[in-house]
Amino acid sequence: MKRIYSTLKCLLVGGLLVASQGCEIDLELDDRYTELTIYQNPESIDLYMAGMYNEFHTFKFGQFPIGYDNATDGLTDIMKYTSSAEGNGSVNRLAFEPQRVSAASPNFNYWNSGYNRIRRLNELMYGINNYADGLTAEQKTLYEAEARFIRGYVYFWLVKLHGSVVLLPELTSEPNNPRASEEESWNFVLADFAFAAEHLPTKAEGGAAWRGRATKDAAYALMARAALYAGSIAEYDNKQFNNDPLTGVPAAKKNEYYQIAADAAGEVMKMGYSLPKDFTGMFTNPNNSEAIFSVDYQRPGVTHTYDSRFSPPVAAASNRAEGVPTAELVEEFEMANGEEFSWSNPAHAAAPYANRDPRFYGTVLYNGAVWQGRTLETFVGGNVGFVEYGTDANPSNTVTGYYVRKYLDPTNTTFAQNRSAQSWMVIRYAEVLLIYAEAQLKLGNLSEARNAINQVRGRADLPNTQAQTAADLMEAIEHERIVELAFEGHRYWDLRRWRKAHTVLNNLRVHGDKITKNAAGDLQYQRVDADKQDRRFLSQMYYIPLPQGEIANNRALTQIQGW
């Protein structure tokens, strides 16, 4: 902790470091009477604070920014959205036509709602410090730590979208506020998480009564994630894609951020988390040993629609799979013995879904998989069979030969009527280990990086990585982030922070494996184009434009150059 604070102290600019979910509640503070009433009653403060946690619902199951679950994964090489129609096909349209992003219509638009939440959190902290006479100093600090944890998460999203944002450390009535530099913005995020980590209880200390609220564990984990992003920008951006004087992070700062990431992840690694062998089951078990911070749901009042959007089609439910895994993702999963899968290998091609990395079976549904009592037939004419992309504007069936498995609830056969209630893990231990591995690699500690990678592989009983050089270890980390974290909303943002999106996603077409049966009943596999046109990523999209209306309302705000 001392080292993290020492590093942060060097990074922070003078004035910037200043002093769950469940209920769908967002209390407005309209006048002094209301403020006094709320802050003199601890139960009312708790109710208001519970409403602030609703912000995490904004990002559940990778929904941000387009309003579809796993939407950003659908912009990458691991998921294909099935619709080609306007509306349901918004993810595809944005993948094919990034020029749709503009200051008038940013598409990735979180600015207004994000700053509304920041204002509410700043009001909450102001009210606690000025009106809550019955609270002890320790209680006030605890509430501030919770509020800053949530504010840090909001700012994390704003900064990774725009780079340079307006920093509001406290409640203000000033309507005209300029953008801070990207370095200052990342430092602000880290300072909020550092404050939260210092003052919040651990998950173990909080116990059942604290379930769903911010903890020291979660604050360290999200600090590690944010610091890794900042370090990546410092290493990979180098002002190649934007001339705005406020975007980018000096390359000389990268090791400071990587050290914060490694130290924060290291704190979580001391807290007793472990990686369950049951990779499949843990995504519907809210009490698994890996979940660091989760958003919970409960029927009938607080639910979501994940199962209806990704389950293989069920006639009684009239659902359709909005997004499906790509053949490129399927090929990333190794054989159980650590061999790289290849269709050129006759043994692999004869039984392509047998003896794979166990995480494959918790991530993808394939031809022959058993799901809710049915053996899935993804071949042409099968019970959940193949439809070629573009031949049906809104198909019910897969366009790649695969369906999502991760996070689906195998017991939920009534999702059409009762929706879904499985928890969503905001951050889990495997990601912390991969953050630690990447940060240590960047700091030159290759053995530490290798050990962390092997812990993640060990949960799947895979052999240790054979990577020895820094370049090979980085490739191993990218591979593990794809297979371990698929459909958890990371791939698009990883490609952005590594500044690889313009090379990986430009001129990309994702594929499927079309399966047919011949007259003898033998299965035949054919690699097919599941896009029918090239995807594009404009390098200017590394920094999403600010909404034009916000610039009109804030005379001190300027647009990010390039837009």
Side-chain angles (χ1 to χ4, degrees):
M1 190 68 202
K2 286 181 179 177
R3 179 156 63 173
I4 292 173
Y5 266 104
S6 176
T7 307
L8 278 174
K9 195 175 292 184
C10 296
L11 293 172
L12 284 164
V13 176
L16 295 183
L17 182 55
V18 298
S20 80
Q21 71 282 348
C23 301
E24 294 288 347
I25 297 169
D26 250 334
L27 301 177
E28 279 287 355
L29 304 186
D30 295 323
D31 53 40
R32 182 177 174 80
Y33 174 79
T34 303
E35 290 172 346
L36 290 172
T37 301
I38 287 178
Y39 293 117
Q40 290 178 1
N41 182 346
E43 291 183 0
S44 296
I45 298 175
D46 281 338
L47 196 62
Y48 187 5
M49 182 66 79
M52 297 298 97
Y53 280 93
N54 284 337
E55 200 62 27
F56 290 95
H57 291 282
T58 302
F59 306 98
K60 65 180 183 295
F61 301 103
Q63 184 177 88
F64 180 81
I66 307 171
Y68 290 85
D69 297 326
N70 286 324
T72 54
D73 279 342
L75 298 175
T76 75
D77 48 0
I78 68 171
M79 173 170 273
K80 172 63 185 177
Y81 257 69
T82 58
S83 174
S84 57
E86 287 289 343
N88 288 335
S90 292
V91 178
N92 285 321
R93 297 271 62 81
L94 191 54
F96 298 142
E97 303 165 15
Q99 65 271 21
R100 290 182 176 228
V101 174
S102 68
S105 180
N107 281 278
F108 295 80
N109 194 353
Y110 180 55
W111 189 274
N112 185 62
S113 59
Y115 277 101
N116 180 60
R117 184 64 65 188
I118 290 165
R119 174 183 65 83
R120 303 290 305 286
L121 289 162
N122 285 346
E123 286 176 343
L124 174 60
M125 288 186 281
Y126 180 86
I128 287 170
N129 287 320
N130 288 275
Y131 302 130
D133 298 332
L135 296 182
T136 65
E138 183 179 3
Q139 288 173 313
K140 290 181 179 181
T141 300
L142 183 59
Y143 279 124
E144 182 179 352
E146 274 193 276
R148 290 183 65 171
F149 173 85
I150 301 169
R151 189 177 70 177
Y153 187 72
V154 173
Y155 264 118
F156 170 74
W157 275 96
L158 288 167
V159 178
K160 75 176 184 176
L161 281 167
H162 306 290
S164 165
V165 300
V166 174
L167 300 179
L168 301 174
E170 57 191 12
L171 190 63
T172 177
S173 60
E174 173 55 56
N176 300 308
N177 299 279
R179 288 188 283 126
S181 72
E182 184 167 3
E183 181 185 359
E184 292 169 330
S185 300
W186 283 118
N187 294 344
F188 191 90
V189 172
L190 294 171
D192 270 355
F193 285 140
F195 186 91
E198 181 181 15
H199 297 290
L200 288 170
T202 65
K203 190 174 182 178
E205 291 168 345
W210 197 260
R211 180 175 173 82
R213 300 178 80 161
T215 63
K216 186 183 298 290
D217 319 33
Y220 274 128
L222 291 179
M223 185 195 308
R225 181 193 280 176
L228 187 69
Y229 270 77
S232 297
I233 304 304
E235 178 170 4
Y236 296 113
D237 184 74
N238 296 311
K239 301 297 290 183
Q240 299 174 76
F241 310 103
N242 191 287
N243 291 321
D244 192 294
L246 295 175
T247 60
V249 177
K253 299 287 187 179
K254 64 180 182 180
N255 282 355
E256 295 179 75
Y257 289 118
Y258 286 139
Q259 190 66 65
I260 293 173
D263 288 346
E267 292 294 325
V268 180
M269 292 163 68
K270 300 173 186 175
M271 293 180 174
Y273 289 93
S274 62
L275 302 178
K277 290 289 188 180
D278 183 9
F279 183 81
T280 304
M282 78 169 185
F283 290 97
T284 51
N285 174 15
N287 298 313
N288 73 75
S289 62
E290 185 174 349
I292 296 172
F293 185 64
S294 299
V295 174
D296 293 337
Y297 294 85
Q298 186 174 19
R299 296 186 184 93
V302 186
T303 58
H304 55 83
T305 58
Y306 191 86
D307 291 288
S308 67
R309 288 181 161 182
F310 291 97
S311 288
V314 180
S318 299
N319 69 300
R320 64 180 186 85
E322 292 180 349
V324 292
T326 63
E328 284 80 2
L329 173 65
V330 170
E331 288 190 1
E332 282 284 340
F333 289 92
E334 301 165 39
M335 304 303 291
N337 63 4
E339 270 187 347
E340 185 176 333
F341 173 83
S342 173
W343 286 100
S344 299
N345 183 315
H348 297 177
Y353 311 126
N355 302 314
R356 301 291 290 271
D357 175 342
R359 293 172 293 182
F360 170 72
Y361 304 105
T363 305
V364 176
L365 290 171
Y366 51 91
N367 187 66
V370 176
W371 179 248
Q372 295 186 337
R374 283 191 298 173
T375 298
L376 301 182
E377 302 170 345
T378 67
F379 53 78
V380 176
N383 57 16
V384 291
F386 181 90
V387 174
E388 188 170 347
Y389 176 69
T391 59
D392 183 337
N394 287 299
S396 297
N397 298 63
T398 179
V399 297
T400 64
Y402 304 103
Y403 292 92
V404 170
R405 169 64 179 91
K406 184 180 281 187
Y407 269 120
L408 290 185
D409 182 355
T411 68
N412 187 2
T413 58
T414 61
F415 53 76
Q417 299 80 28
N418 300 319
R419 295 167 60 95
S420 302
Q422 59 266 45
S423 298
W424 169 57
M425 287 182 281
V426 176
I427 192 163
R428 59 187 181 91
Y429 189 51
E431 184 192 346
V432 170
L433 287 172
L434 291 173
I435 290 170
Y436 183 80
E438 188 174 342
Q440 291 289 13
L441 171 63
K442 296 302 185 180
L443 292 168
N445 303 320
L446 273 61
S447 61
E448 291 283 347
R450 190 178 298 109
N451 289 340
I453 294 170
N454 289 335
Q455 286 186 58
V456 177
R457 292 177 61 81
R459 71 121 37 97
D461 293 323
L462 292 171
N464 288 344
T465 179
Q466 297 301 303
Q468 296 299 318
T469 68
D472 287 346
L473 281 167
M474 189 62 209
E475 186 177 332
I477 288 168
E478 181 169 345
H479 165 76
E480 289 299 326
R481 288 188 69 89
I482 291 172
V483 299
E484 177 73 32
L485 304 177
F487 311 140
E488 296 179 53
H490 292 282
R491 179 63 172 160
Y492 182 74
W493 305 104
D494 281 345
L495 291 172
R496 283 170 56 94
R497 68 182 175 87
W498 292 326
R499 295 304 192 248
K500 294 178 66 171
H502 68 290
T503 57
V504 173
L505 301 182
N506 257 337
N507 303 315
L508 168 73
R509 294 193 184 193
V510 301
H511 297 84
D513 292 317
K514 180 180 179 181
I515 308 174
T516 55
K517 274 189 173 182
N518 63 18
D522 298 323
L523 298 180
Q524 298 177 315
Y525 300 86
Q526 177 188 2
R527 181 57 52 90
V528 293
D529 182 351
D531 270 340
K532 305 300 177 65
Q533 67 183 98
D534 291 345
R535 298 184 180 211
R536 296 176 62 215
F537 182 93
L538 303 177
S539 58
Q540 70 193 100
M541 286 182 61
Y542 284 121
Y543 292 102
I544 300 299
L546 310 187
Q548 195 61 46
E550 297 301 322
I551 294 174
N553 293 333
N554 180 352
R555 293 192 301 273
L557 191 61
T558 57
Q559 183 59 270
I560 294 171
Q561 286 188 20
W563 297 99

